[in-house]
Amino acid sequence: MAMSAVARETVFALRRQIAKIEGTLPERLEVPAGGAPRAIPGRAIPGKVRSGFPSGIAEKQIYSDAAQPDITPEITIVRRGLAVASPDAFLRTGIERLDTALGGGLPKAALSEIHGLETRDAGAVAGFALSLTSLILREKQGLPVLWIGTAEIFREAGFPYARGLHTLFGIEPEQLLFSEAPKLLDALWIAEEAARMTAFAAVILEIRGSPRLLHLTATRRLHARAQSAGRPVLLLRQAGEAEPTAAPVRLIVSAAPAASRETVAGPLAGSIGRPAFTVEIGKSRTALPGQFTLEWSPDEHAFAERTENSVAVVPVSQRGADPAPASGAVLAFPALASPAANSPTAGDQPSRQQRPAHRSPRRAG
């Protein structure tokens, strides 16, 4: 039975609303001039598929109502659930392989999840978030960044060191604002209200564990606020499970061994180089799972990829001489110094100094 025009428009409106909630509303691509039809919002050309995409990337179209010949149709292409967007819609990390795997980088107007599997990864997760904040502030100069967390997470992981913000990341202390909430419910409310404001360059929400209040609906609200304001919202998950969220991208971050410092003569033996992160793509609508080792340059304030995993060597203390290697095997038996030591009961009777204190007579007075 043919669907009426009113029912078809209703179905299309519901699909667009669902796609908008999930963050997969496709953007319209305008076909270049020269005989090709011009793009008009809301319509698509049936039977036309644009090629030239990498292998493994699915393409589909949203077809329009063919009963209106006076409207020029357009082409809509969706790749694995995420629309083809302009390069300006992504925050590029500067690592070509990572940006290509993410489809251009981290989405600017979206919720992005940075996940630390264990509590000891809290420093690496915070350092990676500050590295991304440094890249964001290059484009949003003059705007501060709001960091929201509960009293529990700030007691456990601490606050970023103000003097180190400028030295390592080029962030002025007044550009990073902190909001400490007594409960998680208050932190979520502050994050939702701050995500809708354009007065912040970005909003960071740090949460510990896997609380029940951080459900799929709460993350959808954060993602929708970030889309409407056109600002990134970073969700830092410390020592939590990989639960479903509305974030299009989830990066699992942990600390990586630092390499040796590079000099003109080559790597400096025994030195500790730049901070490094192990970044794994846990979830992405445009990428397959992958793992990268990134280094952050405090001088250039940029990422660099490291291909080999070299372990830093801590130098020996200069206060004393280097320890000499042990000569021969070390045994846990006393040396045979006297014939009494060879008797069967020699090792059973402790000396006077080795007798237990509770067997010696107590002092009186």
Side-chain angles (χ1 to χ4, degrees):
M1 181 176 178
M3 184 183 297
S4 62
V6 177
R8 187 183 297 107
E9 292 296 336
T10 303
V11 172
F12 286 165
L14 290 176
R15 289 179 178 176
R16 289 174 59 86
Q17 186 66 21
I18 294 174
K20 184 177 181 180
I21 294 176
E22 295 180 349
T24 60
L25 185 62
E27 296 188 7
R28 302 298 187 253
L29 300 180
E30 183 173 358
V31 182
R38 184 174 56 87
I40 293 180
R43 300 297 168 184
I45 298 179
K48 298 287 186 178
V49 179
R50 182 179 178 181
S51 60
F53 288 91
S55 59
I57 296 181
E59 304 175 4
K60 67 179 182 177
Q61 295 180 333
I62 299 178
Y63 298 98
S64 64
D65 186 8
Q68 299 183 11
D70 56 333
I71 297 180
T72 305
E74 71 156 6
I75 296 178
T76 301
I77 302 174
V78 180
R79 302 185 302 174
R80 296 190 54 149
L82 185 65
V84 180
S86 61
D88 190 46
F90 297 97
L91 175 66
R92 300 185 63 85
T93 61
I95 307 302
E96 190 66 27
R97 290 201 314 125
L98 179 58
D99 292 337
T100 303
L102 294 175
L106 290 175
K108 293 181 180 179
L111 174 68
S112 299
E113 182 179 351
I114 304 177
H115 192 187
L117 298 179
E118 301 179 4
T119 303
R120 61 182 180 181
D121 297 326
V125 172
F128 186 77
L130 289 172
S131 303
L132 297 179
T133 302
S134 177
L135 300 179
I136 294 173
L137 291 177
R138 291 183 185 178
E139 304 178 4
K140 303 292 183 180
Q141 297 182 1
L143 296 180
V145 174
L146 180 61
W147 193 312
I148 307 167
T150 59
E152 176 190 6
I153 187 62
F154 285 143
R155 284 197 304 265
E156 183 69 27
F159 291 89
Y161 185 45
R163 184 172 296 179
L165 291 176
H166 178 74
T167 304
L168 296 178
F169 306 100
I171 303 175
E172 300 298 333
E174 59 269 13
Q175 291 182 292
L176 192 58
L177 307 179
F178 290 91
S179 176
E180 182 178 351
K183 299 180 180 179
L184 178 59
L185 185 62
D186 301 329
L188 289 173
W189 180 83
I190 296 173
E192 291 181 14
E193 294 299 320
R196 66 191 302 178
M197 302 174 60
T198 59
F200 296 110
V203 176
I204 301 175
L205 175 61
E206 188 175 10
I207 291 178
R208 174 178 169 81
S210 302
R212 296 177 56 185
L213 292 177
L214 191 67
H215 42 71
L216 187 58
T217 304
T219 57
R220 282 177 176 174
R221 290 197 297 264
L222 288 173
H223 183 57
R225 297 290 177 88
Q227 285 184 312
S228 61
R231 295 290 188 273
V233 176
L234 302 180
L235 176 61
L236 308 188
R237 296 283 304 278
Q238 306 286 9
E241 299 293 335
E243 298 178 345
T245 60
V249 177
R250 176 190 294 134
L251 299 179
I252 302 175
V253 179
S254 60
S260 302
R261 291 185 179 182
E262 293 291 338
T263 62
V264 179
L268 182 60
S271 62
I272 300 178
R274 299 178 294 186
F277 310 95
T278 299
V279 181
E280 181 181 355
I281 301 178
K283 181 186 73 171
S284 177
R285 297 176 181 174
T286 59
L288 297 176
Q291 184 172 322
F292 307 85
T293 302
L294 308 183
E295 291 183 346
W296 176 257
S297 175
D299 301 323
E300 302 176 358
H301 299 155
F303 284 112
E305 185 177 7
R306 193 176 68 202
T307 54
E308 67 274 359
N309 295 326
S310 57
V311 181
V313 179
V314 180
V316 182
S317 176
Q318 301 298 328
R319 295 183 179 179
D322 294 341
S327 57
V330 179
L331 303 178
F333 297 97
L336 299 179
S338 61
N342 297 328
S343 62
T345 59
D348 298 337
Q349 299 295 329
S351 63
R352 181 178 182 85
Q353 292 79 7
Q354 295 176 343
R355 291 182 181 276
H358 66 276
R359 293 186 179 181
S360 59
R362 296 184 179 181
R363 292 184 179 182

